[in-house]
Amino acid sequence: MIEREWKPNLTVAALIERDGRFLMVEEHTPEGLRLNQPAGHLEPGESLLEASVREVLEEAAHRFVPEYLVGVYQWTRAQGDITYLRFAYGGKSLGEESGRTLDEGIVRALWMSIEELRASADRHRSPLVLQCAEDWLAGQRHPLSLVHHS
């Protein structure tokens, strides 16, 4: 038997809060319709910051400016088959590109309060969705220089 090399899935997520509400996306997943921050996988040749900016534009049609690293999170699905390593960045939106087509599978972008996020935890893509928002609200902000990009 050939043993496969194990690697975590490296992802980025963006926390954008405006007037007490977070920019979220509703998306189709194998588990059904779920809520998530604009998030996705790192692509070849891009930095984590570039990936976060790209994902927000593709999934929510907003121009994102990362200002902080909120945290680095590790989560393994209950099935034990996939482990995610998520770099969550917080920042601001410079505005929406109205009329932009969202990524395949994204139903819509929406703004949700922390109360709405807490009440909908059973619909989150992962437990990291609420954890990242709670960490942001608790003031968890690290300088972007904490992660070195070469």
Side-chain angles (χ1 to χ4, degrees):
M1 180 172 122
I2 299 174
E3 191 172 317
R4 292 180 44 184
E5 182 179 341
W6 177 87
K7 291 182 182 178
N9 284 275
L10 184 59
T11 63
V12 295
L15 286 111
I16 303 168
E17 183 189 12
R18 183 178 71 192
D19 300 325
R21 301 177 86 73
F22 290 93
L23 180 62
M24 304 295 294
V25 295
E26 191 171 39
E27 60 185 336
H28 290 289
T29 74
E31 291 78 32
L33 204 56
R34 296 286 186 247
L35 295 165
N36 199 3
Q37 283 97 7
H41 294 269
L42 182 70
E43 292 186 356
E46 71 183 349
S47 71
L48 294 165
L49 290 175
E50 291 166 342
S52 68
V53 169
R54 176 184 52 75
E55 288 292 349
V56 175
L57 187 60
E58 291 176 353
E59 293 193 353
H62 279 257
R63 293 183 305 281
F64 177 55
V65 177
E67 298 175 307
Y68 307 97
L69 175 67
V70 177
V72 179
Y73 304 82
Q74 181 180 333
W75 174 68
T76 302
R77 290 179 3 141
Q79 300 89 326
D81 58 339
I82 300 175
T83 297
Y84 292 93
L85 187 59
R86 174 189 257 213
F87 287 75
Y89 289 96
K92 62 185 174 190
S93 169
L94 295 181
E96 184 177 2
E97 287 190 8
S98 58
R100 182 180 175 90
T101 302
L102 302 180
D103 260 2
E104 185 176 335
I106 303 294
V107 175
R108 64 183 173 139
L110 65 158
W111 293 90
M112 297 179 72
S113 68
I114 191 63
E115 292 80 13
E116 292 168 324
L117 281 173
R118 290 173 182 148
S120 63
D122 61 325
R123 293 189 53 228
H124 293 178
R125 183 86 190 247
S126 81
L128 301 181
V129 173
L130 185 56
Q131 184 65 58
C132 288
E134 296 283 10
D135 288 348
W136 174 261
L137 290 175
Q140 191 164 298
R141 290 161 178 71
H142 306 283
L144 295 177
S145 61
L146 191 63
V147 178
H148 296 272
H149 299 91
S150 299

